[in-house]
Amino acid sequence: LKQRRGARSESLRKRLARKKSELESKSKSDEEIQQELERERAKVEAEARSVAEREEKEREATAAAAAKTREDELAKARAALEDAERAAAVAATREAAVQAKLTAEARDAAALQRVREEAEAERARFQEQEEAAARQRQLAELRERTEVEARRASVQLEEQQSAQQS
């Protein structure tokens, strides 16, 4: 930018010098030359102001575009952060649901184990009762056989005694 300004200033100086030499060579009066130089100087200054204003507008436009780009990048970063926060919240919710499910499954497994243990204990009690009942039946059968045997022996004894007496 400084180089462009310097080149333009140099170009304008050369133009003024050329115009001055042209005017001097035409042998005009000093007053006419002075007026022509003043008009030319005013044109040069107006053009220099115009160039400076254009350059200032370009700088402002460039700065505004850079600011807009930064704002856009910041908005994108905010959106990405919000997306990441939403994703983290969803993941936390899923994790909590999975944890609750695991806890429920563990509770269910413990309850099932208790039911199994109770069923096993009940089966053991039932088996003991069955075995006790079987022993009771065996004892009853044994008593019955013993009584039958005792009656038979008693009948035989009576028959023998009656046979001996006869």
Side-chain angles (χ1 to χ4, degrees):
L1 194 60
K2 288 181 181 180
Q3 288 177 341
R4 285 196 315 199
R5 240 188 254 153
R8 285 189 187 128
S9 295
E10 186 61 32
S11 168
L12 293 175
R13 273 191 230 111
K14 286 180 182 178
R15 206 165 108 194
L16 271 176
R18 217 177 13 252
K19 194 68 167 176
K20 184 177 179 182
S21 68
E22 283 176 15
L23 288 174
E24 286 174 351
S25 67
K26 291 183 180 177
S27 67
K28 291 185 180 178
S29 71
D30 283 345
E31 191 176 304
E32 288 175 335
I33 292 172
Q34 192 63 33
Q35 287 175 353
E36 187 68 29
L37 280 173
E38 285 302 317
R39 279 193 301 271
E40 198 59 34
R41 185 174 286 122
K43 282 184 193 176
V44 167
E45 287 174 0
E47 190 174 327
R49 275 192 306 276
S50 172
V51 166
E53 287 172 1
R54 239 186 350 263
E55 288 174 350
E56 181 63 26
K57 285 180 184 177
E58 287 175 5
R59 277 193 303 276
E60 288 174 0
T62 301
K68 176 69 174 142
T69 301
R70 283 191 297 274
E71 287 175 7
D72 291 347
E73 290 172 354
L74 184 58
K76 287 178 186 175
R78 280 189 192 121
L81 178 61
E82 289 171 359
D83 288 346
E85 288 173 346
R86 278 192 296 275
V90 167
T93 302
R94 285 183 184 153
E95 182 180 348
V98 167
Q99 189 62 41
K101 184 177 179 182
L102 289 175
T103 302
E105 287 176 359
R107 199 172 38 245
D108 292 347
L112 181 61
Q113 183 62 31
R114 279 192 306 275
V115 168
R116 283 182 184 151
E117 289 170 358
E118 289 171 3
E120 182 64 31
E122 187 65 29
R123 192 169 50 79
R125 279 192 299 273
F126 181 73
Q127 189 172 357
E128 286 174 10
Q129 289 173 353
E130 284 290 312
E131 289 171 359
R135 283 193 301 272
Q136 289 290 333
R137 281 191 304 272
Q138 286 174 349
L139 280 174
E141 288 173 9
L142 185 60
R143 260 190 235 121
E144 200 175 308
R145 274 187 264 145
T146 305
E147 287 175 6
V148 168
E149 295 272 332
R151 273 188 250 132
R152 203 180 290 146
S154 171
V155 168
Q156 280 179 354
L157 184 61
E158 282 179 18
E159 285 176 359
Q160 283 177 355
Q161 283 177 352
S162 76
Q164 284 178 351
Q165 287 179 356
S166 333

